[in-house]
Amino acid sequence: MRRAIALSEDSVRQGGGPFGAVIARDGEIIAEASNSVTLDDDPTAHAEVNCIRRACKKLKTFDLSGCEIFTSCEPCPMCLGAIYWAHLDKIYYGNTRKDAATIGFDDDMIYHELALDPSRRQKPMRPLLRAEALAAFEMWKNDEGKIKY
């Protein structure tokens, strides 16, 4: 956790956001990263996502079972989703999402949005061309050689 915190401080010094993350397995660091949203002009370049990408590349897998993530702040909804998709075993965090809100990172708003029915969210959402889109799902369902994830 101290390494994740140090990465968050280094990120601020370099012009990035105040977030750092470390993925470890059996006490060994597999990957580490900080937030590079403003440095890379990439809104998905959060510390956790960057770290997951590095760990997957290093281990040559999309399944990080057996690994844990240490992050300087409670993950935002995007990062939490990525952590679940990567199958990380445990999440340790320093600051809370409420702490992040006090300095202008309102991840909590997105958590609240996710609980709403799509028709009640701030961003308009509506289904479009569902029947056509289902074709790819049928292809996936019937593909006996697919790699499940």
Side-chain angles (χ1 to χ4, degrees), residues 130-143 146 149:
R130 181 172 176 257
E132 291 179 37
L134 282 171
F137 279 19
E138 277 299 312
M139 290 171 61
W140 170 261
K141 183 175 120 181
N142 296 325
D143 183 356
K146 68 181 164 261
Y149 58 96

Side-chain angles (χ1 to χ4, degrees), residues 25-73:
R25 180 173 62 189
D26 299 325
E28 177 189 341
I29 291 178
I30 302 298
E32 58 182 43
S34 58
N35 177 290
S36 61
V37 169
T38 57
L39 300 173
D40 295 339
D41 294 323
D42 179 354
T44 69
H46 290 200
E48 298 90 338
V49 171
N50 288 342
C51 198
I52 288 168
R53 289 174 178 156
R54 289 178 183 173
C56 289
K57 189 170 188 167
K58 180 175 182 177
L59 298 176
K60 296 180 175 36
T61 183
F62 55 82
D63 185 340
L64 297 176
S65 296
C67 297
E68 302 171 329
I69 190 164
F70 298 81
T71 181
S72 64
C73 186

Side-chain angles (χ1 to χ4, degrees), residues 68-124:
E68 302 171 329
I69 190 164
F70 298 81
T71 181
S72 64
C73 186
E74 182 179 357
C76 75
M78 176 184 69
C79 293
L80 185 61
I83 289 166
Y84 274 88
W85 284 119
H87 303 287
L88 288 154
D89 291 355
K90 290 183 184 174
I91 306 165
Y92 299 95
Y93 62 91
N95 297 311
T96 68
R97 67 187 195 217
K98 302 290 185 190
D99 296 329
T102 65
I103 62 165
F105 293 93
D106 199 7
D107 302 349
D108 207 39
M109 178 276 296
I110 300 171
Y111 274 101
H112 291 291
E113 281 282 296
L114 290 172
L116 296 175
D117 181 84
S119 66
R120 299 188 58 219
R121 293 181 182 154
Q122 292 178 30
K123 302 279 182 188

